[in-house]
Amino acid sequence: MTKKTAIVGGGAAGFFLAINLKEKMPDMDVTIFESGKKVLRKVEISGGGRCNCTNTFRDVTDLSQVYPRGHRLLKRLFKQFDNNDAYRWFEEHGVKLTVQEDQCVFPQSQDAHTIINMFLAEAHRHHVNIVTGTKISSLDELSDFDFIAVTTGGSPRAEGLYWLQHETVKPVPSLFTFNITDKALQALMGTVVEHATVFIPGTKLRADGPLLITHWGMSGPAILRLSSYASRLLADNNYRLPLNINWADKNEKETEEEVRSIMLQHPLKQVASMRPFALPSRLWAYLTDKCLGKRASCRWKELGPKELNRLVNILVNDAYQIEGRSVFKDEFVTCGGIALSEVSPNTLESKKRPRLYFAGEVLDIDGVTGGFNFQAAWTTAYTVACGIQTCLRK
């Protein structure tokens, strides 16, 4: 008798799971249920419409760097299906990929529809049933299916997960930018620092990478990464915490050496006119005015020891206050979901309800930007496909 699997959620993880199920078990009857009228919506808008589908992980020395809460589980699951497997999988299914300098992986077409069209074509080829406009609000509605896999993505509210009848971790926003009400800083909107380190003082929470100054505060990969690492701490403090920035992305000794070198080589130049570490001119003018005031127009040779120390300090330990987070219509809400203690770490099958599986963002696994969230979707979906296959063999 043909076995039937219901997949709740027509997103990235849902389609990846459906296709892999059919490739492993061609006789399996697979149905995707999507509450909206359109499937794969997040894939379409991700990466600015280009779909940052994975990452090379070249610069990742520990998975906790990119998966703040799910690194232990993913370390285990990556042994079965990692980023290299994902890269091969997409290319074998007709999606040629390209690697950017920042190690993010995109379709060569630079168009998310290349992946969407492939998913839809493969689902059609394998006779996957796709039912849209159907919201599943109880697992009992799927009692006719032998297996159920939930790939609904993140939920902005805890009650959105209650129907699953499992212990959940309260969802909170995970990838967002910071509101900083400093008008002088906001006047620098559009300024980019390619290499900066941002951190919350008094904690071990820090991130590095490009930083963008906006008309509301700060954004860019460094800020988004820190928001993911600190998502729960920020939520607990109503998104009001101190933020420090190392603009130089160097330690204090290296920064002091750079500043003293400028002072020795250009003693007659104005402080505000000679930029260390090739910082943007507007940013350097802002920083020197912030720590020296009118003295920013003096010559380097006229700086006293205390003023030199202030310059070094503002370069490596510039202080701000986060006054809130960005709120966008399509904000990724990925922190939280089904507690990992509720699932088997080898198959992602529910410990409470046999033959119920979870994959993707519905689990309390969230990654930072750069293709890491999609990689978690591919890895967990593949794990579920293998888990269902193993269950059938028993």
Side-chain angles (χ1 to χ4, degrees):
M1 183 176 179
T2 301
K3 298 296 183 180
K4 298 167 60 179
T5 295
I7 298 174
V8 186
F15 270 81
F16 196 79
L17 170 56
I19 294 166
N20 277 280
L21 276 174
K22 293 295 290 187
E23 289 179 345
K24 292 177 180 297
M25 295 162 283
D27 294 333
M28 172 75 72
D29 185 295
V30 178
T31 301
I32 296 174
F33 292 94
E34 167 57 41
S35 61
K37 295 180 179 180
K38 189 175 183 180
V39 296
L40 298 165
R41 288 172 296 176
K42 186 175 287 188
V43 174
E44 185 175 36
I45 65 173
S46 69
R50 297 183 298 138
C51 190
N52 181 189
C53 58
T54 187
N55 194 286
T56 67
F57 284 69
R58 188 193 71 180
D59 301 323
V60 179
T61 57
D62 190 291
L63 286 183
S64 63
Q65 294 173 283
V66 290
Y67 297 108
R69 282 158 288 280
H71 59 279
R72 291 184 180 86
L73 175 62
L74 283 175
K75 185 177 181 180
R76 179 196 297 256
L77 301 186
F78 268 35
K79 294 176 182 178
Q80 181 170 242
F81 193 90
D82 65 7
N83 56 295
N84 295 314
D85 296 311
Y87 194 106
R88 285 191 294 271
W89 191 94
F90 279 100
E91 293 230 319
E92 288 170 358
H93 287 77
V95 178
K96 296 301 180 183
L97 302 177
T98 184
V99 180
Q100 296 187 163
E101 289 185 7
D102 61 1
Q103 304 308 304
C104 293
V105 178
F106 288 87
Q108 282 186 6
S109 64
Q110 299 294 305
D111 186 350
H113 289 95
T114 302
I115 289 178
I116 292 172
N117 293 340
M118 179 274 290
F119 276 153
L120 292 174
E122 287 294 306
H124 178 74
R125 185 169 72 86
H126 287 295
H127 305 290
V128 173
N129 306 306
I130 302 174
V131 181
T132 58
T134 301
K135 183 178 178 60
I136 304 299
S137 55
S138 170
L139 294 172
D140 293 336
E141 296 175 35
L142 304 172
S143 59
D144 290 341
F145 289 86
D146 301 284
F147 301 94
I148 301 172
V150 180
T151 61
T152 52
S155 172
R157 296 179 299 275
E159 52 266 33
L161 301 171
Y162 289 166
W163 68 279
L164 296 173
Q165 300 177 359
H166 281 68
E167 180 185 346
T168 61
V169 178
K170 180 182 177 181
V172 298
S174 179
L175 298 176
F176 50 86
T177 61
F178 296 163
N179 293 342
I180 298 174
T181 55
D182 180 332
K183 291 184 178 180
L185 176 75
Q186 293 171 354
L188 303 178
M189 68 178 197
T191 299
V192 176
V193 177
E194 292 296 338
H195 301 284
T197 299
V198 294
F199 56 100
I200 296 176
T203 75
K204 295 181 179 180
L205 300 169
R206 61 178 54 233
D208 55 24
L211 185 150
L212 169 66
I213 298 174
T214 68
H215 67 275
W216 64 83
M218 295 183 185
S219 184
I223 295 295
L224 292 173
R225 288 181 185 132
L226 184 62
S227 76
S228 180
Y229 300 154
S231 56
R232 297 209 173 278
L233 179 64
L234 284 161
D236 291 343
N237 286 274
N238 198 28
Y239 301 97
R240 284 171 171 76
L241 282 175
L243 171 72
N244 285 26
I245 300 175
N246 183 331
W247 297 105
D249 200 29
K250 305 287 184 182
N251 62 39
E252 187 171 344
K253 181 180 179 181
E254 292 171 321
T255 304
E256 183 176 349
E257 288 174 353
E258 171 76 4
V259 171
R260 287 189 180 277
S261 174
I262 293 175
M263 183 171 62
L264 291 173
Q265 294 179 36
H266 306 281
L268 299 180
K269 295 286 188 179
Q270 287 186 341
V271 174
S273 68
M274 297 301 299
R275 298 170 287 144
F277 305 108
L279 289 175
S281 56
R282 289 198 301 159
L283 175 62
W284 179 239
Y286 163 79
L287 293 175
T288 54
D289 180 71
K290 184 177 178 180
C291 74
L292 298 178
K294 294 181 180 179
R295 291 282 292 165
S297 61
C298 75
R299 298 175 180 180
W300 277 95
K301 71 173 186 177
E302 297 170 351
L303 283 180
K306 291 184 179 180
E307 291 173 318
L308 182 66
N309 288 338
R310 287 205 295 272
L311 276 178
V312 172
N313 186 66
I314 204 167
L315 283 167
V316 300
N317 200 29
D318 191 16
Y320 296 88
Q321 180 69 28
I322 301 171
E323 297 291 348
R325 64 176 176 87
S326 62
V327 181
F328 298 127
K329 181 180 179 181
D330 294 319
E331 184 176 77
F332 285 64
V333 182
T334 57
C335 177
I338 299 299
L340 299 185
S341 59
E342 294 281 281
V343 299
S344 164
N346 296 317
T347 63
L348 301 182
E349 183 178 11
S350 165
K351 293 179 179 178
K352 288 184 175 179
R353 180 166 176 159
R355 301 195 174 193
L356 170 64
Y357 298 79
F358 299 98
E361 289 183 4
V362 73
L363 289 163
D364 186 29
I365 300 174
D366 65 303
V368 300
T369 55
F372 299 111
N373 267 316
F374 274 133
Q375 182 56 51
W378 316 140
T379 297
T380 54
Y382 188 85
T383 299
V384 170
C386 292
I388 293 175
Q389 183 182 41
T390 300
C391 184
L392 278 177
R393 288 173 175 172
K394 292 181 179 178

